[in-house]
Amino acid sequence: AQSVTQLGSHVSVSEGALVLLRCNYSSSVPPYLFWYVQYPNQGLQLLLKYTSAATLVKGINGFEAEFKKSETSFHLTKPSAHMSDAAEYFCAVTYHNNDMRFGAGTRLTVKP
Amino acid sequence: GAGVSQSPRYKVTKRGQDVALRCDPISGHVSLYWYRQALGQGPEFLTYFNYEAQQDKSGLPNDRFSAERPEGSISTLTIQRTEQRDSAMYRCASSLGTSGYNEQFFGPGTRLTVL
């Protein structure tokens, strides 16, 4: 069955530091991959998605992710963290159906 | 507003009662999804609709859970004979197209507490 694993339930970085949130997927067929962000008391918002076009995907708020088939990974990065990036981030996968599977989430804390 | 809305935002009920959770998708969105999210976890797929047709209900935990979308717009998720383990955030999402790669727009959720 399709699934994603997010390594690290909590990540803490200093303001201005690199953000790296890890996501690995399990698949025997090409997946569609997504990163969503959830701010407190709000719904999930799409950051970016991979749909088999370019392997490096740029999203909103300066985030990007690279699809690496050999590593079955889709890690999320941002060169310089901002205080407003503090939130929970979810990686998700779907295939040619609509059964989207989410990871358990990574809570990002940004220290001043 | 133009986003996905859900009602009620909070629901507290006693064990054994039935509850109905409502989702109003973005106008024109043909696909509608229901998820359940436990504290500290990612959303868990329950079921989805294309227009009024329920396409996949494999994620519904048991036969106490059902969903409908009779006119292809508003959807209702019903939980019969609620149990304490049903307590969670229930989220609805909608998408413009029927393909799995379409962006899903999420509502704020309904927090269900079963006493």
Side-chain angles (χ1 to χ4, degrees):
Chain A
Q2 62 199 47
S3 66
V4 290
T5 302
Q6 292 184 241
L7 297 176
S9 58
H10 291 87
V11 170
S12 180
V13 300
S14 297
E15 191 173 20
L18 171 72
V19 176
L20 170 61
L21 305 180
R22 300 177 186 275
C23 173
N24 288 87
Y25 66 92
S26 65
S27 169
S28 58
V29 297
Y32 302 132
L33 292 157
F34 306 78
W35 275 100
Y36 280 85
V37 61
Q38 183 174 10
Y39 298 101
N41 300 316
Q42 294 186 28
L44 284 77
Q45 178 184 4
L46 181 69
L47 277 177
L48 50 79
K49 65 180 181 180
Y50 167 76
T51 58
S52 75
T55 56
L56 181 62
V57 182
K58 294 187 183 297
I60 61 172
N61 302 338
F63 285 93
E64 63 182 38
E66 186 172 7
F67 173 71
K68 291 186 176 181
K69 183 178 179 180
S70 61
E71 299 177 7
T72 60
S73 70
F74 190 58
H75 301 331
L76 182 71
T77 61
K78 182 174 180 178
S80 177
H82 191 272
M83 296 296 291
S84 62
D85 294 327
E88 187 142 25
Y89 292 81
F90 293 95
C91 182
V93 64
T94 187
Y95 297 94
H96 297 282
N97 55 29
N98 296 59
D99 179 357
M100 185 172 285
R101 302 287 175 149
F102 285 82
T106 298
R107 183 168 299 280
L108 176 66
T109 302
V110 182
K111 299 176 292 185
Chain B
V4 177
S5 61
Q6 293 185 244
S7 61
R9 291 291 309 276
Y10 301 90
K11 177 68 177 179
V12 180
T13 190
K14 293 183 178 180
R15 187 178 54 186
Q17 297 295 306
D18 297 351
V19 296
L21 311 181
R22 173 184 166 128
C23 173
D24 198 342
I26 294 173
S27 178
H29 279 199
V30 300
S31 294
L32 185 147
Y33 306 80
W34 282 101
Y35 295 88
R36 178 171 66 176
Q37 187 174 13
L39 205 59
Q41 297 295 317
E44 172 193 11
F45 171 84
L46 295 177
T47 186
Y48 87 96
F49 295 82
N50 285 342
Y51 302 95
E52 72 283 358
Q54 191 169 18
Q55 299 293 322
D56 183 350
K57 54 182 182 179
S58 62
L60 296 176
N62 51 61
D63 60 8
R64 295 187 296 107
F65 288 72
S66 63
E68 62 176 9
R69 194 187 185 199
E71 298 179 2
S73 179
I74 293 169
S75 178
T76 302
L77 177 70
T78 301
I79 308 173
Q80 296 179 310
R81 305 180 303 281
T82 52
E83 301 177 4
Q84 286 185 327
R85 59 178 172 159
D86 298 334
S87 296
M89 177 73 82
Y90 288 83
R91 296 197 183 274
C92 172
S94 69
S95 66
L96 184 61
T98 58
S99 173
Y101 60 70
N102 283 284
E103 177 179 358
Q104 294 185 25
F105 294 82
F106 282 79
T110 295
R111 171 75 65 190
L112 175 65
T113 302
V114 182
L115 303 176

